[in-house]
Amino acid sequence: MKSNIIEQLAPVFYPRSIALVGISDTTLNVAYMFLQSLLDSGFPKIYPVNPRGGELMGLKVYPSIKAIPEAVDLALLTVPREAVPDIARECAENRTKAMVLYTGGFAESGPEGRALEAKIVDIARSGGTRVIGPNCVGPYNPSAKLIPQFILPKESGTVGVISHSGFLFYYLLMSVADTGVLLPSKGVSCGSDCDLTCVDFIEYLGQDPDTKVIIAYLEGIRDGERLLKSAREISRSKPIIVLKGGNSEAGVKASASHTGTLAVSTAVWRTLCSQSGIISVDTFEQMMDVLMALHHLPPTKGRRVGIITTPGGLAVTSTDACSQLGLEIPSLRADTRKRLSNIVESVGTSVNNPVDLGLVGALAPDYYVKNAIQIVARDPNVDMIIAAFTGPPGDNDDKDRKVADLLLDVIAEGGKPTVICGAIPQGWPRGEFRFLARSNVPVYPEPRRAAYA
């Protein structure tokens, strides 16, 4: 892993100046939208570039990169493909540190586009300019006021985001913020990886002190051996969660036409993940579920799950989900079952694992679910807990907060990873789940997602 990657990519994530090449005053111009957002976020030094010159939003418009009176840290190119080589040459001659190729139509378009892409990289590298893209939207770092779109979070957090897709990059940033408890630290849409690659950015975020977890949407890997080595080292201290696109024959073709990268076969990818510590997920929903679990839960010491439910159907479906995912459902110790028998009703309940608290448990979770979690957490046969309960609708904030606080207290006291499965119909208010989700306990709407997390 490159020991100086933080220094190398400082101009990408902490640029002192940005050139927006190809800007115009039309509202649908991408560079114009970037300019509006960068000004709104307070980015200090922006150089609009258009051959016509003039002025835009109070800033002087320069006719070219070489007309800018200083070396620029980061240039964003939103120009037609044919214009890129000449502008790349200007960037190299002007010692621009890095440039983002928003423009597409390179490797993904065929041999001619691939050759042009290679030519541009050679031109840029001749002057020490690194290239991000093509076919991407580049970096994002709210702590450096590098916010290219109004919709993106303005405050920074702990989740680093990487994506080969520009749209899905924004989607992931917004999905992290939508959790209500997490925010992105920084991230990059890296497109076709023609020069700087997703592995460079994984290594950067792996050493970034602001980033605690890395999530990524990847389509192809140009250097699998390097990814294996880097991820193996990083994942010891920072989780890496990846959704890989191109898992089918049709998906491989779509990836090639999207970013021009060659998708890794599913078998090879699974082997790489198992050897490197990368957590591979199949959906964005799974990615967020895992992210919340990793953020909130203490490490587990084993695969044995204690299941506590109110309706019996949840007991069965939770058990199935855990078993199918390779988790174990251990027998509870005799003293555990005896203590449980003192709190559960005798009709339609069970003190085995899964523990079924019956209908009355759903009506009073502040007593039944609370005490069951406390008892099961003390059982040495149990490493982690799923508490799945439901009940009649209710929306009393004072009462719901008190119930949530009671459950939070016993979960913290037990010290074992615990997730809540709030199995309620959509639109059916069950307020304690709201307060639990805002704290440090993951809440999932159905058993399989809880078991997977």
Side-chain angles (χ1 to χ4, degrees):
M1 189 160 64
K2 296 179 181 177
S3 59
N4 61 345
I5 193 74
I6 293 290
E7 181 181 340
Q8 286 184 32
L9 297 189
V12 173
F13 290 104
Y14 292 92
R16 293 165 297 182
S17 56
I18 294 179
L20 298 175
V21 186
I23 198 166
S24 72
D25 59 359
T26 60
T27 56
L28 295 180
N29 177 266
V30 174
Y32 184 75
M33 290 189 283
F34 283 8
L35 174 61
Q36 289 178 304
S37 182
L38 290 169
L39 287 173
D40 181 68
S41 65
F43 191 86
K45 193 176 288 188
I46 309 169
Y47 295 107
V49 176
N50 186 294
R52 292 194 299 269
E55 185 177 294
L56 193 59
M57 297 186 71
L59 298 176
K60 178 181 178 179
V61 177
Y62 291 84
S64 64
I65 285 280
K66 61 185 177 183
I68 297 174
E70 66 168 341
V72 173
D73 274 356
L74 184 65
L76 176 68
L77 278 58
T78 58
V79 297
R81 185 181 79 159
E82 294 72 22
V84 173
D86 288 340
I87 297 172
R89 189 169 288 106
E90 288 188 14
C91 287
E93 292 172 354
N94 207 48
R95 301 295 174 184
T96 301
K97 302 294 192 304
M99 67 181 196
V100 176
L101 293 185
Y102 179 88
T103 311
F106 292 94
E108 75 276 14
S109 65
E112 180 188 355
R114 190 176 297 277
L116 181 59
E117 182 180 288
K119 176 183 177 182
I120 290 165
V121 172
D122 288 342
I123 292 170
R125 294 294 294 273
S126 69
T129 303
R130 302 304 303 269
V131 185
I132 305 167
N135 205 11
C136 71
V137 295
Y140 156 87
N141 182 6
S143 64
K145 302 186 185 304
L146 179 57
I147 304 173
Q149 289 289 350
F150 288 107
I151 61 171
L152 300 179
K154 304 296 189 291
E155 298 178 4
S156 59
T158 58
V159 182
V161 181
I162 301 168
S163 175
H164 278 139
S165 161
F167 169 77
L168 292 178
F169 177 57
Y170 287 165
Y171 175 80
L172 286 175
L173 292 173
M174 297 303 295
S175 295
V176 172
D178 283 347
T179 63
V181 294
L182 293 171
L183 285 168
S185 56
K186 51 182 67 72
V188 63
S189 154
C190 51
S192 300
D193 283 3
C194 71
D195 177 24
L196 289 170
T197 71
C198 62
V199 183
D200 290 302
F201 296 116
I202 287 172
E203 289 183 355
Y204 176 89
L205 293 174
Q207 297 183 38
D208 176 40
D210 298 329
T211 299
K212 306 305 179 189
V213 182
I214 300 168
I215 63 173
Y217 168 76
L218 306 179
E219 291 183 0
I221 309 297
R222 292 184 183 269
D223 192 345
E225 186 176 350
R226 184 174 155 218
L227 174 61
L228 174 64
K229 183 178 178 181
S230 297
R232 182 179 287 158
E233 182 177 338
I234 293 166
S235 62
R236 294 186 184 125
S237 57
K238 293 184 185 182
I240 305 172
I241 309 168
V242 178
L243 172 61
K244 188 188 77 68
N247 292 314
S248 63
E249 184 177 345
V252 169
K253 292 179 181 178
S255 174
S257 64
H258 180 211
T259 61
T261 55
L262 182 62
V264 181
S265 74
T266 301
V268 170
W269 176 248
R270 286 176 178 167
T271 301
L272 188 151
C273 290
S274 68
Q275 294 180 0
S276 66
I278 290 174
I279 301 169
S280 180
V281 296
D282 297 324
T283 65
F284 292 109
E285 180 180 77
Q286 280 186 350
M287 178 180 281
M288 292 301 116
D289 286 352
V290 172
L291 178 62
M292 294 299 290
L294 288 170
H295 175 74
H296 286 309
L297 302 181
T300 182
K301 296 179 180 179
R303 306 171 71 86
R304 301 170 300 176
V305 183
I307 300 173
I308 300 165
T309 71
T310 50
L314 280 180
V316 175
T317 52
S318 298
T319 302
D320 283 343
C322 288
S323 298
Q324 290 163 4
L325 290 167
L327 300 173
E328 299 173 16
I329 317 298
S331 297
L332 300 178
R333 289 187 4 164
D335 56 334
T336 301
R337 296 196 302 272
K338 183 177 180 181
R339 285 195 294 269
L340 286 169
S341 66
N342 292 329
I343 67 162
V344 301
E345 299 294 310
S346 59
V347 179
T349 58
S350 170
V351 294
N352 297 309
N353 191 17
V355 178
D356 180 3
L357 299 175
L359 177 60
V360 71
L363 298 175
D366 50 332
Y367 175 76
Y368 292 98
V369 176
K370 175 184 80 74
N371 284 309
I373 291 174
Q374 189 174 49
I375 293 168
V376 173
R378 292 174 180 167
D379 193 311
N381 290 348
V382 171
D383 300 310
M384 37 191 172
I385 296 171
I386 293 176
F389 61 97
T390 185
D395 202 9
N396 183 320
D397 277 3
D398 289 338
K399 178 183 176 182
D400 293 337
R401 187 181 287 108
K402 288 176 182 177
V403 173
D405 287 344
L406 287 169
L407 295 176
L408 289 169
D409 286 344
V410 294
I411 289 170
E413 177 190 319
K416 293 181 178 178
T418 300
V419 299
I420 301 295
C421 174
I424 55 175
Q426 188 172 1
W428 192 337
R430 185 78 181 183
E432 63 265 50
F433 296 142
R434 247 184 323 123
F435 292 107
L436 288 167
R438 291 175 188 172
S439 57
N440 60 350
V441 175
V443 177
Y444 302 103
E446 55 94 13
R448 175 160 291 275
R449 289 175 61 182
Y452 185 86

